[in-house]
Amino acid sequence: MIIVSAANSLYLTHLHVMLKSLLVNLSNTQTVRVVILHTDFTSGDKNKLKYLVECFNSCIDFIKMEDDEIDHIKLNDHLDYISKETFYRIEIPNLLPDAGKVIYIDCDIIILDDLWKIWNIDIDEFYLAAVADFDKKRSIELNISTCSNYFNAGFLLMNLNKWREGHITEGLKELLLSRNDLKYMDQDALNLLLHNHYYELDIRWNYQTYIWRETSIPHPAVLHFTGPDKPWNAETPYNHFYNHYLTLQVDKIE
């Protein structure tokens, strides 16, 4: 299993918490590879994450991002809780040329179930697997077919072989550099290209803030703190999960 996430040093703690929740809940951690895309992690930052991952006999790699095209993509000034690291996921097929698929996870997520259940889903005929987004109107605003749901890009099972065959990364960059009406930036671009070519996961695998405010489910597998209210800056119904993994102590297996 290959897990990919992207962060800057300001999100180091939250990335650490997300990874801890993920690893604790895996049925098997010994064949797990974590890949972190970053621009400014120090050796100390990397060592903190490396220690955590090695506690579970997993391995971790760091890729320092340098991409002039991505640097020229404009962020939405009205979504100041989103940084340029959001764009790094579109580069994953090129960054990991030998990988067939990965699970991409945002840092503002807590994992509560075994991700092998997701990894083992057959998506050979799809570009990715994802959960429908809370914003049900976005498909209409983007003139996307109403036959498929607009999906959230914070938790993705990505078929990298199919991405490379379809030149999806190049198509996404072209969209992001040529259009200024993409409110949710790369998420909008992903939906414009792939809305009819993705496998829809159950809501429990990306239970987003705006969904849990309207719909209660008994056993969420992935808590996603979408929007500006995060467990480190606001009160949410699920802060206790974040705080649990924040304070949970893990030690290396001898």
Side-chain angles (χ1 to χ4, degrees), residues 20-237:
K20 196 189 303 181
S21 71
L22 183 158
L23 292 163
V24 164
N25 287 293
L26 283 178
S27 55
N28 175 13
T29 60
Q30 295 186 8
T31 58
V32 173
R33 177 189 177 197
V34 176
V35 179
I36 304 300
L37 315 180
H38 75 100
T39 53
D40 64 350
F41 278 1
T42 66
S43 58
D45 295 337
K46 295 177 185 177
N47 286 338
K48 180 178 181 180
L49 295 170
K50 186 171 183 286
Y51 180 86
L52 170 66
V53 172
E54 289 182 350
C55 283
F56 295 87
N57 287 330
S58 302
C59 64
I60 187 167
D61 296 311
F62 298 91
I63 299 177
K64 186 174 175 60
M65 297 298 294
E66 296 176 359
D67 189 314
D68 290 339
E69 280 190 289
I70 283 181
D71 287 341
H72 286 100
I73 298 173
K74 183 175 173 55
L75 288 164
N76 184 338
D77 294 335
H78 298 292
L79 302 177
D80 57 5
Y81 53 90
I82 297 178
S83 66
K84 69 176 182 179
E85 281 75 18
T86 186
F87 299 124
Y88 294 166
R89 60 189 149 204
I90 70 177
E91 281 284 16
I92 294 172
N94 297 332
L95 296 170
L96 302 175
D98 297 326
K101 64 179 178 179
V102 303
I103 297 177
Y104 170 83
I105 310 175
D106 277 350
C107 293
D108 56 352
I109 277 176
I110 295 293
I111 308 295
L112 300 175
D113 204 341
D114 187 354
L115 289 195
W116 284 107
K117 297 175 183 177
I118 294 297
W119 183 257
N120 291 325
I121 292 174
D122 181 359
I123 59 165
D124 286 349
E125 301 303 314
F126 301 92
Y127 287 96
L128 56 83
V131 173
D133 191 73
F134 72 91
D135 192 341
K136 302 302 182 185
K137 298 179 181 178
R138 194 61 185 148
S139 292
I140 299 172
E141 294 166 352
L142 291 172
N143 292 316
I144 291 174
S145 169
T146 55
C147 295
S148 57
N149 286 323
Y150 177 91
F151 61 84
N152 184 275
F155 182 85
L156 304 172
L157 176 63
M158 300 171 63
N159 181 343
L160 302 190
N161 290 328
K162 199 163 177 65
W163 273 56
R164 287 185 283 261
E165 291 170 4
H167 305 286
I168 299 303
T169 294
E170 293 75 13
L172 290 169
K173 284 185 177 181
E174 183 178 338
L175 271 173
L176 288 163
L177 289 166
S178 63
R179 294 183 58 162
N180 58 9
D181 63 331
L182 302 183
K183 177 182 177 182
Y184 297 117
M185 299 161 291
D186 55 315
Q187 181 170 281
D188 278 354
L190 279 162
N191 275 273
L192 283 167
L193 287 186
L194 304 178
H195 64 277
N196 278 331
H197 306 283
Y198 84 98
Y199 179 100
E200 187 167 331
L201 299 171
D202 186 86
I203 188 177
R204 69 185 298 266
W205 291 104
N206 190 345
Y207 192 40
Q208 305 149 50
T209 300
Y210 297 99
I211 294 177
W212 77 52
R213 288 175 178 170
E214 298 178 0
T215 305
S216 177
I217 64 174
H219 301 293
V222 173
L223 291 173
H224 191 181
F225 297 91
T226 48
D229 290 346
K230 311 295 186 185
W232 53 88
N233 66 16
E235 289 297 324
T236 82

